[in-house]
Amino acid sequence: MLLLGGIAPAQALIEYTDTQRETMVDMIDQLEERHYAKLRYDDELSSQHLDNYIDSLDSGRMFFTAADLAEFEAYRMQMDDDLHKGRLDAGFNIFNRFQQRLVERLETVVDTLPEAIAAMDFNVEEDYLLDGEERPWAANQGELDDRWRRHLKNQVLSLRMSDKPQDEIAETLSKRYKNQLKRVQQYNNQDVFQIYANALTELYDPHTNYLSPRRSENFNINMSLSLEGIGAVLQLEDEYTKVVRLVPAGPADKQGELKPSDRIVGVAQGDDEEFEDVIGWRLDEVVELIRGPKGSTVRLQVMPSKAAKTGERKVVTIVRNKVKLEEQAAQKKVLEIPNGDKTMKVGVIDIPAFYIDFDAMRRGEKDYKSTTRDVKKLLDELQNEDQVDGVVIDLRNNGGGSLQEANELTGLFIEYGPTVQIRHSSRRVWRDGKRLRGPYYEGPLVVLINRLSASASEIFAGAIQDYQRGLIVGDRSFGKGTVQTLIPLPEGQLKLTESKFYRISGDSTQHRGVVPDVTFPALYDHEEIGESALDHALNWDKINPVRHRRYQDINDLLPEVTRLFQERSGNNPEYIFLEDQVHLAEESRDIKTLPLNEEARRALADEQDSKALAIENKRRAALGEELLTSLDEDEVDVDDDAEADSEASDEAASGEESDEENGEDIVASSAEGEEDEHDVLLTEAGNILVDTLLLREQRFAAHTPGGDERASD
């Protein structure tokens, strides 16, 4: 193996294997031949690969210096030639340099931590940059030393802010960095190969990934839905284990305290064992610690993404269990919407995922479980037993699932016709949908989506919108309009994007998502969550539309529906409170640096708490409720992303995106927050449905005497 200079002899070098040489050659062949983007791995992509690989190792600019980067330049136009021939020297040499720098730094931190903490002056006016990617590469070792001094000072101050006793801070951080050092020294060639390979696959699109043998095993466990654990999808973000989303009806979802975007900082077994600090741990090791047999208890120490007090940590206790398909079933309820002297009844069907029991279906069982079967039963009950005036389909947080079920479900609301177009990397297009005319629900329909509605959810919502079968309300959807396939390699697997979804209008759901007819406040930051927030996401485009029926005159009704919505929501204290929360979260996300002066840091925390208290009391005053004097009197959900980021380390981490696959569709999503506990958005969706129904009745009555009611085309 060709070596870069400066590798410390005390650190054993990691070398690649012949099988990994074969795997890389095969992987590049598959990418070039089968990926939808049709990119060649040439000098241009080689240059991007080098930059992406270095960023994946040292995204916070905390280990490499400008001199290291100058040395790596020798590989910029050479990696494509080498990798086509199975030569992996560049990737492994760079990693060995990185591991050397990482070990040296962690050993220094551990050896000098008590003295470093004792020397910290929290009265000095200086700050800490939250986003390490904004830093330039350090010119020399002295500049890196100063970055680490501020980094450690920020961690100590965060612990002080969370009321950690001063005499325990050094011990806590020392244990954290010793654990991190131990794990760094356990890196193997599979770890290095996976990081190096994914730095290339991510340039094709964010959902194309190399899965090492170990990660492939975890991926397959997740797909089988047989995993015993807490039912949470996790990913590594800097040195934190972040909750991406919760599996619907899983143990964590049912327990109710763990939320998307929460960061897990400690894990304990049972009711009384001590917590293990997992900051800086590898993702797979944290996952193994959280998993466990059915009926056992795990306790998580969590930094909430939404917190009423700055620096808050909480303990979430969850009893592990199996995630069962039956527990993810669609559910119904009835909203009562006041309308003058009468009350309108609106049925709500909440669909957490597009599920189907493929095994039972293949065995020929008549009563196999599926989304469409369950929804059809609920629709019948809502119409015949509950006598509802219309139906809301709630797809919020539905990350997708079976493509077949998305098509079948759409068939419950249209007479017949296509629902989706799929274009393969060969550019061949085929269509799927309801092929035979059949009965369908003809009543008023509203579909509620948010930023976490992805893939199959977008196919359904897009089809309903294109047919003008119902109104789409909420926030713009995730924008994942791609299909992945798994390809076996000599070692591990390649998850490769091979096709794209298109609506019957010809528009892609990719990147742009489904834009609602009536837009609600965005509870999720579009710059952080969604396909458009992911690097190298495939572009939005369009193909030829398909001739299709339009069931209603929704576009004609929209201006008046929107006016009524704005008038009503502008006077709704709960809705205004939700908008205020969103604005407060946006202000927090605009904070780019945190003060390392303790007085200034506490003042910033007090300012955030005061704003949170003010919007809560604004809501209470409008509702005639007693005002609070502090946030401690009540639990108020307020985004505090700045403090969540305040402990975000710039330690090196190879971020792994967690995906789920069910049938033909793969879900990739990130999450931040939940709907308001009063669910003002669902109530507003019901109000909009009633508005639409009444406006249509008025138009019908106006046209009836002349007999000139317009027929749909």
Side-chain angles (χ1 to χ4, degrees):
M1 177 184 288
L2 181 65
L3 297 177
L4 290 166
I7 301 296
Q11 182 64 47
L13 300 178
I14 300 176
E15 299 182 347
Y16 57 86
T17 66
D18 288 339
T19 303
Q20 288 169 343
R21 288 165 51 95
E22 297 171 15
T23 299
M24 182 62 77
V25 172
D26 191 4
M27 187 188 81
I28 292 173
D29 287 344
Q30 298 290 348
L31 287 170
E32 292 185 330
E33 295 302 318
R34 298 181 61 174
H35 193 278
Y36 189 89
K38 296 297 183 185
L39 296 178
R40 310 304 296 180
Y41 185 39
D42 54 14
D43 282 353
E44 181 180 354
L45 215 59
S46 174
S47 177
Q48 295 178 40
H49 186 192
L50 176 64
D51 291 336
N52 199 39
Y53 183 49
I54 293 171
D55 284 341
S56 68
L57 294 175
D58 190 9
S59 62
R61 313 291 197 263
M62 296 290 283
F63 299 98
F64 290 138
T65 64
D68 291 318
L69 271 292
E71 203 168 342
F72 300 156
E73 279 297 308
Y75 295 124
R76 185 165 296 280
M77 301 301 178
Q78 190 63 37
M79 285 164 46
D80 58 321
D81 298 325
D82 287 349
L83 265 61
H84 275 109
K85 299 173 183 177
R87 293 198 293 259
L88 312 181
D89 299 74
F92 278 73
N93 288 346
I94 292 172
F95 186 88
N96 281 319
R97 171 67 60 81
F98 165 70
Q99 188 177 37
Q100 174 202 351
R101 297 279 189 260
L102 181 53
V103 168
E104 289 173 350
R105 177 61 63 180
L106 293 180
E107 287 178 340
T108 300
V109 168
V110 169
D111 290 342
T112 63
L113 191 59
E115 296 83 356
I117 293 176
M120 290 178 182
D121 183 355
F122 295 101
N123 296 313
V124 176
E125 297 294 335
E126 58 182 355
D127 54 31
Y128 177 74
L129 183 64
L130 288 172
D131 186 357
E133 292 185 0
E134 296 295 321
R135 302 186 184 109
W137 293 104
N140 50 50
Q141 197 65 34
E143 193 171 329
L144 280 183
D145 291 342
D146 186 66
R147 289 181 185 181
W148 270 92
R149 180 188 65 80
R150 293 179 187 237
H151 174 65
L152 291 171
K153 189 174 182 180
N154 178 65
Q155 290 190 317
V156 171
L157 184 52
S158 294
L159 290 172
R160 287 165 67 107
M161 295 279 289
S162 61
D163 299 324
K164 189 78 169 178
Q166 181 65 30
D167 58 353
E168 295 181 14
I169 290 177
E171 180 183 354
T172 298
L173 291 179
S174 179
K175 184 178 180 180
R176 178 183 302 174
Y177 283 110
K178 285 178 181 178
N179 285 334
Q180 204 168 333
L181 179 60
K182 178 181 177 182
R183 280 157 183 80
V184 167
Q185 293 169 331
Q186 293 173 346
Y187 278 122
N188 57 42
N189 56 26
Q190 281 193 6
D191 299 321
V192 181
F193 184 85
Q194 178 171 289
I195 300 169
Y196 192 35
N198 278 321
L200 173 58
T201 63
E202 290 165 0
L203 300 178
Y204 282 76
D205 88 298
H207 307 295
T208 294
N209 307 111
Y210 168 74
L211 309 178
S212 67
R214 183 173 186 177
R215 192 176 171 201
S216 293
E217 180 183 356
N218 289 336
F219 185 85
N220 293 332
I221 288 174
N222 288 336
M223 297 315 98
S224 69
L225 293 178
S226 64
L227 174 66
E228 292 184 351
I230 66 170
V233 178
L234 310 175
Q235 74 177 31
L236 201 61
E237 184 175 275
D238 295 313
E239 64 178 348
Y240 284 90
T241 300
K242 178 181 175 181
V243 179
V244 176
R245 62 184 176 83
L246 303 179
V247 177
D253 187 33
K254 288 182 175 181
Q255 196 269 355
E257 292 185 65
L258 192 66
K259 304 295 183 183
S261 281
D262 285 354
R263 288 177 169 89
I264 299 172
V265 298
V267 180
Q269 308 301 325
D271 295 322
D272 49 16
E273 287 194 22
E274 291 187 5
F275 278 97
E276 289 196 62
D277 186 315
V278 297
I279 297 176
W281 283 34
R282 291 161 46 123
L283 180 64
D284 52 6
E285 292 177 327
V286 179
V287 169
E288 286 188 6
L289 204 59
I290 294 174
R291 284 179 184 165
K294 175 182 176 181
S296 61
T297 297
V298 63
R299 291 173 10 255
L300 307 178
Q301 191 177 57
V302 170
M303 292 170 52
S305 65
K306 286 188 170 185
K309 272 188 91 66
T310 301
E312 176 186 341
R313 296 191 182 196
K314 65 179 181 180
V315 174
V316 178
T317 302
I318 302 173
V319 178
R320 301 178 178 105
N321 205 338
K322 281 193 175 183
V323 180
K324 299 177 182 178
L325 191 62
E326 291 76 10
E327 294 176 334
Q328 299 188 44
Q331 298 180 3
K332 69 162 186 172
K333 63 180 176 181
V334 176
L335 297 179
E336 294 188 346
I337 306 294
N339 177 43
D341 296 333
K342 60 184 295 189
T343 298
M344 309 288 283
K345 297 174 69 176
V346 174
V348 177
I349 298 179
D350 180 15
I351 304 176
F354 285 85
Y355 52 89
I356 182 172
D357 190 339
F358 280 110
D359 290 337
M361 182 183 68
R362 294 187 185 106
R363 289 193 299 267
E365 295 182 13
K366 293 182 179 180
D367 296 324
Y368 66 86
K369 199 77 174 170
S370 81
T371 302
T372 306
R373 287 168 170 245
D374 289 344
V375 171
K376 186 178 186 310
K377 179 181 177 182
L378 296 176
L379 272 174
D380 291 341
E381 292 174 359
L382 287 170
Q383 292 178 90
N384 300 325
E385 299 174 14
D386 299 307
Q387 299 291 309
V388 298
D389 298 294
V391 171
V392 173
I393 300 295
D394 189 351
L395 295 181
R396 287 175 299 174
N397 304 336
N398 183 323
S402 168
L403 172 61
Q404 172 183 320
E405 284 304 301
N407 291 323
E408 295 285 342
L409 185 70
T410 308
L412 296 182
F413 300 94
I414 62 172
E415 186 176 18
Y416 80 104
T419 56
V420 67
Q421 302 185 81
I422 303 172
R423 183 161 71 167
H424 189 262
S425 59
S426 65
R427 298 313 186 249
R428 173 177 171 263
V429 177
W430 68 92
R431 299 161 184 162
D432 204 352
K434 187 175 182 180
R435 292 181 171 83
L436 300 176
R437 293 181 185 272
Y440 64 99
Y441 169 73
E442 300 183 56
L445 177 66
V446 164
V447 179
L448 176 58
I449 60 175
N450 68 1
R451 192 59 169 166
L452 300 185
S453 304
S455 282
S457 294
E458 296 175 289
I459 291 171
F460 174 80
I464 295 299
Q465 191 175 54
D466 290 338
Y467 277 106
Q468 289 197 38
R469 177 60 193 87
L471 267 175
I472 311 300
V473 303
D475 189 14
R476 181 159 61 96
S477 63
F478 190 89
K480 182 181 182 295
T482 57
V483 191
Q484 284 70 44
T485 186
L486 286 173
I487 302 170
L489 297 171
E491 183 174 283
Q493 300 179 91
L494 176 64
K495 178 164 69 69
L496 180 141
T497 296
E498 200 169 36
S499 303
K500 283 179 72 174
F501 293 129
Y502 292 83
R503 292 163 57 160
I504 56 176
S505 64
D507 291 352
S508 172
T509 57
Q510 171 63 17
H511 207 283
R512 184 179 296 181
V514 176
V515 180
D517 300 306
V518 180
T519 301
F520 290 170
L523 300 183
Y524 308 93
D525 182 3
H526 289 193
E527 293 184 2
E528 296 292 333
I529 297 172
E531 190 78 5
S532 59
L534 301 176
D535 292 334
H536 310 292
L538 297 182
N539 293 328
W540 177 90
D541 62 349
K542 62 188 305 178
I543 60 175
N544 292 329
V546 183
R547 286 179 59 87
H548 58 280
R549 173 182 174 185
R550 290 174 177 82
Y551 285 76
Q552 298 171 7
D553 55 356
I554 284 177
N555 290 339
D556 293 339
L557 296 175
L558 263 181
E560 183 63 11
V561 169
T562 302
R563 186 191 69 79
L564 292 171
F565 156 68
Q566 291 173 342
E567 182 179 284
R568 182 172 50 248
S569 59
N571 296 306
N572 183 341
E574 298 289 4
Y575 194 89
I576 295 170
F577 175 67
L578 183 60
E579 290 183 314
D580 288 342
Q581 284 189 308
V582 171
H583 293 322
L584 184 57
E586 290 172 350
E587 287 182 15
S588 295
R589 286 192 289 265
D590 286 339
I591 297 174
K592 304 303 180 184
T593 61
L594 288 176
L596 295 178
N597 176 289
E598 185 165 3
E599 183 178 348
R601 184 74 154 257
R602 293 191 181 277
L604 176 62
D606 290 343
E607 180 185 1
Q608 291 174 314
D609 289 348
S610 295
K611 290 179 179 179
L613 179 62
I615 66 173
E616 168 63 13
N617 280 334
K618 177 181 174 182
R619 181 186 72 87
R620 287 171 172 265
L623 294 172
E625 297 178 359
E626 183 180 354
L627 302 187
L628 302 178
T629 57
S630 75
L631 291 172
D632 291 333
E633 296 179 52
D634 192 42
E635 290 189 2
V636 184
D637 284 339
V638 179
D639 276 351
D640 191 9
D641 291 341
E643 181 61 25
D645 285 336
S646 72
E647 285 198 26
S649 163
D650 301 294
E651 299 284 335
S654 57
E656 296 185 18
E657 178 183 31
S658 300
D659 299 316
E660 276 196 1
E661 183 179 5
N662 188 352
E664 299 175 75
D665 194 20
I666 291 180
V667 179
S669 65
S670 179
E672 183 181 326
E674 288 287 308
E675 283 74 35
D676 184 83
E677 62 178 352
H678 304 293
D679 216 341
V680 62
L681 299 184
L682 181 59
T683 301
E684 192 51 50
N687 282 322
I688 289 172
L689 186 144
V690 170
D691 289 342
T692 306
L693 173 62
L694 296 177
L695 287 171
R696 187 168 289 114
E697 288 179 348
Q698 291 170 10
R699 290 197 175 194
F700 179 79
H703 284 295
T704 298
D708 60 348
E709 181 189 0
R710 186 177 66 185
S712 64
D713 56 353

